[in-house]
Amino acid sequence: MIGQLPRSIPEVVASHLCTGCGACAYVAGDALTMHDVRTVGRRPLPIAAVNGSLTGDALAVCPGRQLEHRPEALDGAPLRGEWGPVLALYECWSTDPDVRHRGSSGGVATALAAHAVTSGRATGALQVQADPDDPLRNVTVRNTTYESITAATGSRYAPASPCERLDLVEQAEGRTLFVGKPCDVAAVRNVAAIRPALAERLDVTVAIFCAGTPSTAATEDLVRSLGTDIEDVVSVDYRGEGWPGNFRVQSGSGEVRSMTYAEAWNGTLTKNRQWRCLICPDHTGEFADLSVGDPWYREIGPDEPGRSLVVVRTEAGRAALLAALSDGALDGDLIPLERLEQSQPSLAATRGAVWGRVLTMGLMGLRVPRYRNVPALRLWLRLPLRGKVTSIAGTYRRARLRGLNRPEVSAP
Ligand SMILES: Cc1cc2nc3c(=O)[nH]c(=O)nc-3n(C[C@H](O)[C@H](O)[C@H](O)COP(=O)(O)OP(=O)(O)OC[C@H]3O[C@@H](n4cnc5c(N)ncnc54)[C@H](O)[C@@H]3O)c2cc1C
């Protein structure tokens, strides 16, 4: 691929390639702290400093800069094109009706995390949840009880950096299950490869499917569009309490205002995703042991309880899923692999477009990420002529509109 890789963490950030996962901040120790940049996402700052700790290991673990399937890490799973390594596909739901109701899909990510602890396999789960002191933002917590793990149920379509708190995993007694977006999980895998102390303490990784992280400003816009004052917000929920659930805002008076998931996601949230997500090939958590998404392969009835699609990617993931099923934490069954493609029908085209977008960035002299064993060119070749032209001409236009030739975030 044409184009140069960023050579330091500040360059990753300046080049609009940061996913906001926080892995560099964990690896670099005190040299970097994650901050929420309202209109962009969470970023490692100070970005102006360039020293050894911001290249080396911090750069090596960055999923924004590079994603690679290493054959030795595939655990026997065949690489299935745009779906990554897949051993099996299930459709499942939590057997706890409250978790299933509050979960984004079937509450499966939560049920897997809770089961890891209640079965004694792990002593905690590293999860993202709403910040109790700032309900429009998220925090990362290592939860250790059924009650605290299940309280973190639900997708937060807003910036989150779970990897910045990998110190909690490394320092804990026993193992920790990790839940995060595909980029977060790819970063964890990179860190575990160079930090044996972390690898020893890691239970399975669970990725939630992700089409991109919207900024905090996007949530603020949604809140205002519902007529609620930002200062008066007590809680924000993006989904749940039904499937796929509504975007809901509660104000100090207790009043709850809402809009449908489709209204929130298809409008403001989609438009305000960070740039790196638009050139991401991994929307289904290819580097996880298990990944969980919505089974959109069929129409969902109005009051239907939630279900989750579960992709088994490693033997450790399969063992964790089967144990949760046999212990009654989950219910569900094996389903045909075609259901994956039927659930995410536009994914092949999206990945094809990603190849054209990265090519355009390289031709414009911008820094680009490197993807290895993550096939995309043949998907670009399969796009209709219009799709090919859009992936290049459209990217050129958007890159200029977004100012990709200028640093994404200025130094504080
Ligand atoms: C930004 C974003 C984009 C998404 N895009 C898609 C998509 O394109 N297709 C699709 O099928 N589904 C998408 N989802 C939904 C997600 O895949 C569903 O949450 C998934 O089906 C799991 O549902 P569940 O009921 O099993 O999870 P739950 O049981 O509700 O648990 C969700 C878990 O995810 C963790 N979590 C929530 N938000 C974040 C976050 N921002 N970063 C890291 N961890 C988090 C929570 O801590 C919790 O452990 C997206 C979610 C997010 C946050």
Side-chain angles (χ1 to χ4, degrees), residues 102-111 127-129 138 152-158 160 162 179-181 184 208-214 239 265 292-294 296 308 344:
R102 288 190 297 109
S104 283
S105 311
V108 168
T110 304
Q127 294 170 291
V128 165
Q129 58 196 56
N138 298 319
T153 298
S155 297
R156 310 221 39 95
Y157 289 71
V179 187
K181 298 174 296 300
D184 303 326
I208 54 172
F209 286 16
C210 176
T213 299
R239 291 181 58 173
W265 173 249
V292 188
D294 286 299
W296 297 136
S308 304
Q344 307 285 327

Side-chain angles (χ1 to χ4, degrees), residues 35-43 137 159 213-221 271-275 402 408-409:
H35 294 267
D36 184 41
V37 182
R38 253 187 79 256
T39 54
V40 178
R42 289 181 66 78
R43 295 291 177 262
R137 291 186 167 77
T213 299
S215 64
T216 300
T219 298
E220 291 175 356
D221 283 354
K271 281 191 202 125
N272 288 284
R273 289 171 296 163
Q274 57 190 355
W275 178 261
R402 285 225 188 188
E408 185 183 45
V409 176

